[in-house]
Amino acid sequence: MKKILIVEDEEELAHNISEILSNLDYRVAAIVDNAKSALDFLEEYEVDLVLMDILIHGDLDGIDLAYKIREKYNLPIVFSTAYSGTEYLERISSEIHEGYLLKPFTLDSLKTAVFFGLKRHMEKSGKEKKPKGSLKIMDKGYLVPVPHSEIVYLKADGLYTKVYTKAKSYIVRDILKGFEEKLPPAQFLRVHKSFLVNTAYIASFNAKKVNLGETSIPIRRGLYKELIEKLNV
């Protein structure tokens, strides 16, 4: 019987989900409402899937918790959220979850999300794993391991640096050069004195700028040829 950890800060909803999952022949290992309790539980007990709300109690939200879980455990994660806007959903990276549920959800949608969450994780585990590597970011008193593959770009802001990931952004008290020394040069490129980008996210570029999806970033003079060589265009 597959064991599921529920991370949900709405107590009544959490118990309703637990009852439904039990009727679907899953075992609910525990119900917690914050990141610390979730991590403490995972230290002691094994589960097969984490069903998690994005907005939970405590300083860490569900996205940060997903990063921390991914750093240490090979577990599938299914998010639940009441926000259905496309822009919001696109911020939830496919690299840190195997599915998501839109609230309010039905018995069938919950059943489907959990089933495919477990199935997709098995399929991922059977494939060659991507090279690991993460950037440790201190956020609200917690150390959050952000995978290199999730970082889109970094922007200098005086003595601080803004780190933009696929899921959210962070402000860190460190200069951009400090991050440039920590990140793999084969993957990250200083395209401008104020910007360091993950080349995997470059959708297009010309002699003046690179486009990272909907974000455009200026490039320094003379970088165009280097970009062509680096990206094997």
Side-chain angles (χ1 to χ4, degrees), residues 33-44:
D33 64 3
N34 63 85
K36 184 180 184 305
S37 296
L39 293 171
D40 287 347
F41 184 85
L42 291 174
E43 282 284 344
E44 298 291 331

PDB file of all heavy atoms in Angstrom, residues 33-44:
ATOM      1  N   ASP A  33       1.281  20.788   8.506  1.00  0.00           N
ATOM      2  CA  ASP A  33       0.863  22.060   7.893  1.00  0.00           C
ATOM      3  C   ASP A  33       2.018  23.026   7.650  1.00  0.00           C
ATOM      4  O   ASP A  33       1.808  24.193   7.343  1.00  0.00           O
ATOM      5  CB  ASP A  33      -0.218  22.735   8.728  1.00  0.00           C
ATOM      6  CG  ASP A  33       0.279  23.145  10.117  1.00  0.00           C
ATOM      7  OD1 ASP A  33       1.480  22.947  10.415  1.00  0.00           O
ATOM      8  OD2 ASP A  33      -0.545  23.661  10.896  1.00  0.00           O
ATOM      9  N   ASN A  34       3.272  22.545   7.811  1.00  0.00           N
ATOM     10  CA  ASN A  34       4.418  23.435   7.609  1.00  0.00           C
ATOM     11  C   ASN A  34       5.635  22.640   7.159  1.00  0.00           C
ATOM     12  O   ASN A  34       5.688  21.402   7.306  1.00  0.00           O
ATOM     13  CB  ASN A  34       4.724  24.222   8.883  1.00  0.00           C
ATOM     14  CG  ASN A  34       5.138  23.326  10.031  1.00  0.00           C
ATOM     15  OD1 ASN A  34       6.307  22.969  10.159  1.00  0.00           O
ATOM     16  ND2 ASN A  34       4.170  22.926  10.868  1.00  0.00           N
ATOM     17  N   ALA A  35       6.627  23.358   6.646  1.00  0.00           N
ATOM     18  CA  ALA A  35       7.810  22.713   6.082  1.00  0.00           C
ATOM     19  C   ALA A  35       8.626  21.969   7.136  1.00  0.00           C
ATOM     20  O   ALA A  35       9.099  20.855   6.892  1.00  0.00           O
ATOM     21  CB  ALA A  35       8.678  23.759   5.376  1.00  0.00           C
ATOM     22  N   LYS A  36       8.820  22.584   8.289  1.00  0.00           N
ATOM     23  CA  LYS A  36       9.641  21.957   9.323  1.00  0.00           C
ATOM     24  C   LYS A  36       9.070  20.610   9.747  1.00  0.00           C
ATOM     25  O   LYS A  36       9.799  19.618   9.870  1.00  0.00           O
ATOM     26  CB  LYS A  36       9.773  22.871  10.540  1.00  0.00           C
ATOM     27  CG  LYS A  36      10.700  22.309  11.619  1.00  0.00           C
ATOM     28  CD  LYS A  36      10.810  23.236  12.812  1.00  0.00           C
ATOM     29  CE  LYS A  36      11.820  22.698  13.832  1.00  0.00           C
ATOM     30  NZ  LYS A  36      11.527  21.329  14.268  1.00  0.00           N
ATOM     31  N   SER A  37       7.770  20.572   9.973  1.00  0.00           N
ATOM     32  CA  SER A  37       7.138  19.318  10.383  1.00  0.00           C
ATOM     33  C   SER A  37       7.260  18.268   9.290  1.00  0.00           C
ATOM     34  O   SER A  37       7.469  17.086   9.571  1.00  0.00           O
ATOM     35  CB  SER A  37       5.667  19.554  10.730  1.00  0.00           C
ATOM     36  OG  SER A  37       5.537  20.401  11.848  1.00  0.00           O
ATOM     37  N   ALA A  38       7.135  18.703   8.031  1.00  0.00           N
ATOM     38  CA  ALA A  38       7.263  17.773   6.905  1.00  0.00           C
ATOM     39  C   ALA A  38       8.666  17.182   6.848  1.00  0.00           C
ATOM     40  O   ALA A  38       8.843  15.966   6.694  1.00  0.00           O
ATOM     41  CB  ALA A  38       6.927  18.485   5.601  1.00  0.00           C
ATOM     42  N   LEU A  39       9.685  18.042   6.975  1.00  0.00           N
ATOM     43  CA  LEU A  39      11.068  17.575   6.909  1.00  0.00           C
ATOM     44  C   LEU A  39      11.419  16.698   8.101  1.00  0.00           C
ATOM     45  O   LEU A  39      12.136  15.693   7.961  1.00  0.00           O
ATOM     46  CB  LEU A  39      12.010  18.780   6.825  1.00  0.00           C
ATOM     47  CG  LEU A  39      11.910  19.596   5.533  1.00  0.00           C
ATOM     48  CD1 LEU A  39      12.723  20.883   5.644  1.00  0.00           C
ATOM     49  CD2 LEU A  39      12.367  18.776   4.322  1.00  0.00           C
ATOM     50  N   ASP A  40      10.918  17.061   9.283  1.00  0.00           N
ATOM     51  CA  ASP A  40      11.151  16.239  10.476  1.00  0.00           C
ATOM     52  C   ASP A  40      10.537  14.851  10.294  1.00  0.00           C
ATOM     53  O   ASP A  40      11.146  13.834  10.680  1.00  0.00           O
ATOM     54  CB  ASP A  40      10.555  16.913  11.713  1.00  0.00           C
ATOM     55  CG  ASP A  40      11.359  18.120  12.165  1.00  0.00           C
ATOM     56  OD1 ASP A  40      12.495  18.293  11.689  1.00  0.00           O
ATOM     57  OD2 ASP A  40      10.835  18.905  12.981  1.00  0.00           O
ATOM     58  N   PHE A  41       9.356  14.800   9.713  1.00  0.00           N
ATOM     59  CA  PHE A  41       8.690  13.509   9.503  1.00  0.00           C
ATOM     60  C   PHE A  41       9.478  12.657   8.512  1.00  0.00           C
ATOM     61  O   PHE A  41       9.673  11.456   8.724  1.00  0.00           O
ATOM     62  CB  PHE A  41       7.261  13.726   8.997  1.00  0.00           C
ATOM     63  CG  PHE A  41       6.484  12.445   8.843  1.00  0.00           C
ATOM     64  CD1 PHE A  41       5.821  11.888   9.927  1.00  0.00           C
ATOM     65  CD2 PHE A  41       6.435  11.790   7.621  1.00  0.00           C
ATOM     66  CE1 PHE A  41       5.125  10.690   9.800  1.00  0.00           C
ATOM     67  CE2 PHE A  41       5.738  10.592   7.478  1.00  0.00           C
ATOM     68  CZ  PHE A  41       5.085  10.044   8.576  1.00  0.00           C
ATOM     69  N   LEU A  42       9.932  13.284   7.421  1.00  0.00           N
ATOM     70  CA  LEU A  42      10.663  12.533   6.395  1.00  0.00           C
ATOM     71  C   LEU A  42      12.009  12.021   6.902  1.00  0.00           C
ATOM     72  O   LEU A  42      12.556  11.059   6.357  1.00  0.00           O
ATOM     73  CB  LEU A  42      10.862  13.402   5.151  1.00  0.00           C
ATOM     74  CG  LEU A  42       9.588  13.721   4.359  1.00  0.00           C
ATOM     75  CD1 LEU A  42       9.885  14.714   3.241  1.00  0.00           C
ATOM     76  CD2 LEU A  42       8.963  12.447   3.801  1.00  0.00           C
ATOM     77  N   GLU A  43      12.546  12.672   7.930  1.00  0.00           N
ATOM     78  CA  GLU A  43      13.788  12.193   8.543  1.00  0.00           C
ATOM     79  C   GLU A  43      13.579  10.838   9.224  1.00  0.00           C
ATOM     80  O   GLU A  43      14.498  10.018   9.294  1.00  0.00           O
ATOM     81  CB  GLU A  43      14.282  13.209   9.579  1.00  0.00           C
ATOM     82  CG  GLU A  43      14.981  14.418   9.010  1.00  0.00           C
ATOM     83  CD  GLU A  43      16.400  14.120   8.550  1.00  0.00           C
ATOM     84  OE1 GLU A  43      16.946  13.065   8.955  1.00  0.00           O
ATOM     85  OE2 GLU A  43      16.945  14.916   7.779  1.00  0.00           O
ATOM     86  N   GLU A  44      12.354  10.621   9.713  1.00  0.00           N
ATOM     87  CA  GLU A  44      12.077   9.429  10.513  1.00  0.00           C
ATOM     88  C   GLU A  44      11.341   8.334   9.751  1.00  0.00           C
ATOM     89  O   GLU A  44      11.507   7.144  10.049  1.00  0.00           O
ATOM     90  CB  GLU A  44      11.246   9.818  11.750  1.00  0.00           C
ATOM     91  CG  GLU A  44      11.940  10.794  12.691  1.00  0.00           C
ATOM     92  CD  GLU A  44      13.121  10.162  13.412  1.00  0.00           C
ATOM     93  OE1 GLU A  44      13.089   8.930  13.634  1.00  0.00           O
ATOM     94  OE2 GLU A  44      14.078  10.893  13.737  1.00  0.00           O
TER      95      GLU A  44
END
